Amino acid sequence: MSVSTSVSARRLAGTALAAGALVGAVALPATAADHAQPHRAVVEISGVQHDAPGRDDNSPRALNREWVDITNNTRGAVNLNDWTLSDNAGHTYTFHHYRLDGRATVRVHTGRGHDTRRDLFQDRHRELLDNRAGTVTLRNDHRRVVSAFSWGRHHGGRH
């Protein structure tokens, strides 16, 4: 075999390898996208107890069994100051001076109580959430919808 033949063979092999690597690099993102995890919101409404167990008698105990869970899915704390939680009837709770730790959940109760890191209270005297159907919406301090949760007629979970 001559020197020029072996150089040509090496160039041909090198070109084929480069082309294969290029095709593989282009195909990789498409394959990875097919198996990507669904997007999770940074902060989301992760649960709602709209129909509290027991009697609906507007007692403090009954009101505190009606709640909305807010979860921070990131590692870092999120400042919820001036964020709002509202229902479709127009009732709104505003967070004041509250930081939700990373990977933490806070439960916002309808009734009265002493706020802690894990439980906040709206200090309401009546139930807010409709037992049959409704939506609660979490908005940031710029009034943008961060998360919504619906139940009942043609609803079923997060939006």
Side-chain angles (χ1 to χ4, degrees):
M1 183 186 280
S2 72
V3 173
S4 65
T5 306
S6 70
V7 169
S8 296
R10 280 188 286 189
R11 283 186 185 157
L12 185 59
T15 303
L17 286 172
L22 182 60
V23 169
V26 170
L28 181 62
T31 303
D34 292 343
H35 300 294
Q37 295 296 320
H39 174 72
R40 264 189 99 146
V42 171
V43 177
E44 68 179 345
I45 298 171
S46 55
V48 175
Q49 178 64 56
H50 55 86
D51 188 5
R55 292 183 51 205
D56 292 341
D57 60 4
N58 289 319
S59 69
R61 186 175 182 154
L63 291 174
N64 286 332
R65 289 190 306 246
E66 181 179 272
W67 46 259
V68 176
D69 280 347
I70 309 294
T71 299
N72 176 0
N73 294 308
T74 68
R75 291 183 197 158
V78 174
N79 184 358
L80 298 185
N81 191 42
D82 290 332
W83 287 39
T84 60
L85 182 64
S86 60
D87 65 6
N88 50 322
H91 303 105
T92 301
Y93 171 77
T94 302
F95 293 84
H96 294 290
H97 309 291
Y98 184 80
R99 287 181 83 73
L100 182 57
D101 291 334
R103 307 266 190 253
T105 298
V106 64
R107 181 163 284 178
V108 182
H109 300 270
T110 299
R112 291 174 277 159
H114 297 287
D115 291 345
T116 67
R117 298 295 308 146
R118 301 268 183 230
D119 293 282
L120 297 175
F121 297 86
Q122 296 186 52
D123 297 329
R124 305 283 182 161
H125 300 283
R126 302 188 61 83
E127 288 184 335
L128 298 180
L129 305 177
D130 189 307
N131 289 348
R132 293 177 306 260
T135 300
V136 288
T137 305
L138 180 66
R139 288 184 171 82
N140 65 17
D141 55 340
H142 299 290
R143 304 296 174 243
R144 291 189 187 108
V145 172
V146 173
S147 180
F149 191 105
S150 298
W151 63 94
R153 296 180 291 255
H154 307 293
H155 298 289
R158 289 177 215 120
H159 295 306

